[in-house]
Amino acid sequence: MSAAGPTVHRVAAPARTPGQRRTARDRRRADRADRVREALRRALPALWLYASVRLTGMTVMAAWAWWVGKHPRTLLGHLWDGIWYAGIARDGYGLIVPSPTSPDVFYNDLAFFPLYPGLVRAVATVLPLTIVSAGLLVAWAAAGAAAWGIYAVGERLHGPRVGTLLVLLWALLPHAIVQTMAYTESLMTALAAWALYAAISERWLSAGALALLAGLSRPNAVAVAAAVACAAGLALWRDGRSRGDWRVWACAAMAPLGWAGYVLWAGLRSGGGPLGYFEVQRLWGSRFDFGRDAFLFARHLIVARDYMAYYVTLAILGAALVALLFLALDRPPAALLVYVLVLTVIAVGGSSYFASKPRFLLPAFPLLLPAAVAMARARPRTVAMTAGALAGLSFFYGTYLLAVARVPM
């Protein structure tokens, strides 16, 4: 034996054959499919509850619409912004309409992000459906995916009971009828919920990809990019091992690409340069004024009379600010807090379209977490009475918004 010690002979592991690699891939796919099936099984009670609540709400609205001579399909699928989305899905971008009441206002369809109308066009191409029917199908499928994602976030943070109650509260919001309209809120909520779930689960590539897609759905989906980028940044700062993980860096890089890419493209397409998109929004009468317009309108509601929808909006904004405070005191994951903070700032700080502000907050489901936790600790009778009261308000107000009120949504 030499002074250097015994010679160690390393035997290389035999290379896996293509058949063995294929078997390993199949096994991983089977494991992923099993995990998805198990997650869906746990979420099914919440999803059935969500479907039952929203179907009841649509039935109440439809009955009143028929009674007053309006068509429920038109109210759900071809009203306000739904008309613009249907036009983009059918003909693409390029429509500019001057305001009939203000010579300085021009409505440009570049204000609307492309993911939802693109999906509607794809569905209408593949299935024998009209654009309006395809729009409703996409919205309803997105609402189901959103409910599942909301449950997943609630379950991961506080358990299955809180997850189910979180879905129920989201389904019973006063303006929850929007979740089943041909609008983009349900699609954004679905992508946001799953992006946040992926971020708090440290599934970085999924979080970045979902944030990218969410950024193509709505202007305020920049909140998803901010939340996911914040989660990735905190991981890089707190955990030295994450700095060597390319997936965390890729997540942070991907998250804002969808939103920033469309804003840049729309600005160039409008002829206003890289930031021309914000001029498009300004010509719609929409800009960020740090809440000045909202404050003046709230003051108007105190000293004058107006539509009931405006007073409900004021109450919802106040409730959202209180819920944001309680959520912050509960110290949720940073991604959730950043997400709802950005959404709230955009909703409160934006000018014009006061009655639409609750709709802008519809994707901010984490604001409901403190209430869901409180309900999970309450007695069943208290939960039932609370849910019943919220259902009455939601079904009545949803019917009022679509079939009675004449304010833009």
Side-chain angles (χ1 to χ4, degrees):
M1 184 179 295
S2 65
T7 302
V8 178
H9 298 281
R10 298 184 182 274
V11 179
R16 290 190 296 179
T17 65
Q20 290 173 323
R21 288 195 294 270
R22 195 179 310 113
T23 301
R25 282 198 303 270
D26 292 343
R27 192 180 300 115
R28 288 194 296 271
R29 288 172 184 166
D31 290 342
R32 282 196 295 267
D34 289 341
R35 288 196 297 269
V36 171
R37 281 194 291 268
E38 175 59 22
L40 179 58
R41 184 194 64 79
R42 296 196 307 271
L44 272 179
L47 298 181
W48 280 115
L49 183 61
Y50 176 80
S52 301
V53 168
R54 292 311 328 136
L55 183 60
T56 303
M58 286 196 296
T59 301
V60 172
M61 183 280 299
W64 183 260
W66 283 117
W67 179 261
V68 298
K70 298 181 179 180
H71 201 295
R73 177 175 171 272
T74 301
L75 295 179
L76 289 171
H78 206 242
L79 186 69
W80 301 113
D81 288 2
I83 298 173
W84 287 89
Y85 286 120
I88 296 169
R90 184 184 301 109
D91 305 316
Y93 287 101
L95 180 63
I96 302 175
V97 179
S99 169
T101 57
S102 176
D104 298 327
V105 175
F106 291 86
Y107 303 127
N108 189 329
D109 60 7
L110 286 171
F112 299 93
F113 277 49
L115 183 59
Y116 175 74
L119 290 173
V120 172
R121 185 179 183 91
V123 170
T125 301
V126 173
L127 300 178
L129 296 173
T130 65
I131 288 292
V132 173
S133 297
L136 288 173
L137 180 61
V138 171
W140 294 347
W148 187 6
I150 291 170
Y151 172 84
V153 172
E155 180 195 43
R156 182 169 182 85
L157 295 179
H158 298 287
R161 181 170 173 80
V162 170
T164 300
L165 290 170
L166 185 61
V167 172
L168 177 63
L169 288 173
W170 191 65
L172 291 177
L173 288 171
H175 47 292
I177 192 70
V178 177
Q179 297 167 15
T180 43
M181 293 177 65
Y183 272 42
T184 55
E185 278 71 21
S186 291
L187 179 60
M188 175 186 158
T189 306
L191 293 166
W194 285 110
L196 292 171
Y197 177 80
I200 61 180
S201 306
E202 297 186 349
R203 299 172 182 176
W204 299 114
L205 291 182
S206 296
L210 289 165
L212 186 155
L213 288 174
L216 293 170
S217 64
R218 286 192 51 76
N220 59 349
V222 68
V224 187
V228 170
C230 174
L234 284 175
L236 292 169
W237 178 52
R238 292 174 176 172
D239 186 1
R241 292 174 300 178
S242 295
R243 294 168 196 159
D245 189 344
W246 67 271
R247 291 169 295 187
V248 185
W249 294 98
C251 172
M254 280 194 296
L257 290 182
W259 186 87
Y262 179 73
V263 167
L264 178 62
W265 177 85
L268 295 174
R269 171 76 181 265
S270 70
L275 300 180
Y277 174 80
F278 300 103
E279 178 64 14
V280 170
Q281 286 282 14
R282 189 191 69 78
L283 290 175
W284 269 82
S286 180
R287 64 190 185 280
F288 189 81
D289 64 356
F290 299 93
R292 180 178 181 274
D293 184 75
F295 172 77
L296 293 176
F297 199 92
R299 187 178 67 177
H300 153 77
L301 293 178
I302 295 172
V303 301
R305 294 181 180 182
D306 218 312
Y307 287 105
M308 182 178 70
Y310 293 127
Y311 293 97
V312 175
T313 295
L314 186 61
I316 290 173
L317 290 178
L321 293 175
V322 173
L324 178 60
L325 175 61
F326 276 101
L327 180 67
L329 293 174
D330 197 39
R331 301 183 69 180
L336 267 67
L337 189 58
V338 169
Y339 172 67
V340 295
L341 183 61
V342 174
L343 283 178
T344 304
V345 168
I346 292 174
V348 175
S351 66
S352 302
Y353 305 104
F354 189 79
S356 299
K357 291 183 183 295
R359 175 166 65 85
F360 301 157
L361 284 172
L362 197 63
F365 69 90
L367 289 175
L368 302 171
L369 266 171
V373 171
M375 287 180 68
R377 297 169 180 167
R379 292 179 298 178
R381 181 180 178 183
T382 303
V383 174
M385 291 179 63
T386 302
L390 291 175
L393 172 62
S394 179
F395 300 160
F396 164 77
Y397 188 63
T399 301
Y400 166 79
L401 279 179
L402 262 66
V404 180
R406 296 181 180 180
V407 295
M409 295 178 59

